[in-house]
Amino acid sequence: MGPLKGVRVLEFAGIGPGPLAAMLLADLGASVIRLDRPQAAQAAAAGVPGHLDNGRPVIGADLKAEEGLQTARTLIASADVLLEGFRPGVMERRGLGPDACAGINPRLVYARMTGWGQDGPLAHVAGHDMNYISLNGALHSIGRKGGAPVPPLNLVGDFGGGTMLVVTGILAALVERSASGRGQTVDAAMVDGSAFLMSMIYEQRERGGWTDERGDNFLDTGAPWYDVYTCADGRHVSVACIEPQFYAAFLQGVGLADADLPDQWDKERWPELRERFAAVLATRTRDEWAEVFGTEDACVQPVLSMAEAADHPHIAARGSVVRKNGTTFPGPAPRFDRTPGRATRDPGFPAPTAEEALKEWGVELP
């Protein structure tokens, strides 16, 4: 099940982007074993795991004791991928750094997930998502005109710049290994990954199409045709009609097709357009506008809460968000036609036991 069936991943327990990466790999069919402190393993066996931790067994190992280190070495010898999210130097001090692990298993892909990376002046400094995107221009760019930057949850640093880039690195290293027969170390830093996500915005700025002032640009709520508007019921719609044909369809839908309006790209008159759009969109409820635009190519959609998302016809049809047995969870992504993955957080997912996983790995622990 899943395109990564047969790939063995040893996850050293962490928080945030590391567990999400392990969850994604498990969704895609990899056999993942999570190594954690003995007490954490006991708690996991006795309770219901969180979504980010589901779908994989937890094996306890005290890495400060020789027995725990031997457990780790035994699993490393059979793993294809090691995933860890400690500060630089922690694994080395345990004798489990990349060089030591390469001596145990030369084919091992050793993936390191950190905020600041393995080197640089801040490599050993604590931080969280918002700190990492503070230094590369991302956080500064998100927010409304005249206001402070707005943290985009922890989607950009932790999960976009972190999880998605470390998984990309893992998959690339596995592909390269098929030719060379050798593993390598993947240094995935959230500060790097979230900077990479800003590539298009940096290009726009270099070409003079973007300013450093928030709410002044066409993708940061500066443009009135790329923003969120309040409807008659206090709920919201998103309007993102950038291209002229979509903009024309939007004007038609709101009844302004024949109105005397400024040119779409006349930035000096954007405030006038915003005022007109806000006034007309406030005349109907969110769901009434959803009826008006339906499947029209106007790039207008209702802004749904997490409680509402699973009931939207498209979301339900795709299984993007699923409600099942009293649990709401995102479905697997991306999709594959021959080897589909499965959401490990689905209450019906047959999560393997530690014994089953160890048997699949062909491992007997000391």
Side-chain angles (χ1 to χ4, degrees), residues 107-318:
R107 290 175 54 83
L108 183 71
V109 172
Y110 195 113
R112 319 196 80 169
M113 177 76 268
T114 61
W116 302 115
Q118 296 299 310
D119 52 29
L122 296 178
H124 294 274
V125 175
H128 282 296
D129 176 289
M130 187 164 55
N131 305 127
Y132 310 134
I133 67 175
S134 292
L135 296 192
N136 58 24
L139 182 57
H140 176 88
S141 304
I142 302 170
R144 292 194 174 275
K145 196 176 189 69
V150 177
L153 303 182
N154 65 331
L155 300 179
V156 175
D158 280 355
F159 298 138
T163 294
M164 297 305 159
L165 271 295
V166 76
V167 169
T168 300
I170 288 169
L171 299 180
L174 288 173
V175 170
E176 192 280 337
R177 189 185 72 171
S178 67
S180 70
R182 300 170 57 199
Q184 61 182 303
T185 301
V186 178
D187 175 5
M190 290 170 245
V191 67
D192 300 342
S194 52
F196 175 79
L197 296 179
M198 289 286 288
S199 295
M200 188 186 81
I201 306 303
Y202 266 100
E203 179 190 9
Q204 290 285 331
R205 185 177 180 276
E206 289 300 308
R207 295 188 176 194
W210 194 275
T211 73
D212 276 337
E213 183 180 354
R214 283 182 296 281
D216 188 52
N217 305 285
F218 74 101
L219 293 177
D220 63 357
T221 74
W225 32 263
Y226 198 92
D227 205 349
V228 174
Y229 286 91
T230 304
C231 302
D233 56 354
R235 294 189 286 183
H236 302 87
V237 291
S238 62
V239 176
C241 47
I242 301 173
E243 293 83 356
Q245 67 273 29
F246 304 148
Y247 183 65
F250 166 70
L251 294 182
Q252 185 69 40
V254 296
L256 293 175
D258 298 321
D260 182 19
L261 299 175
D263 180 77
Q264 179 186 0
W265 287 91
D266 185 350
K267 190 173 181 179
E268 294 300 318
R269 300 185 67 184
W270 277 356
E272 296 176 49
L273 273 182
R274 182 181 304 282
E275 187 176 341
R276 296 291 295 274
F277 295 167
V280 71
L281 289 167
T283 62
R284 300 190 188 190
T285 67
R286 180 197 69 180
D287 293 344
E288 287 173 336
W289 284 120
E291 286 278 334
V292 167
F293 287 103
T295 56
E296 294 292 324
D297 278 347
C299 301
V300 178
Q301 293 295 338
V303 177
L304 304 180
S305 68
M306 287 187 285
E308 298 172 299
D311 295 323
H312 188 276
H314 185 82
I315 299 299
R318 293 280 300 174

Side-chain angles (χ1 to χ4, degrees), residues 38-49 58:
Q39 57 269 38
Q42 293 167 4
V48 178
V58 182

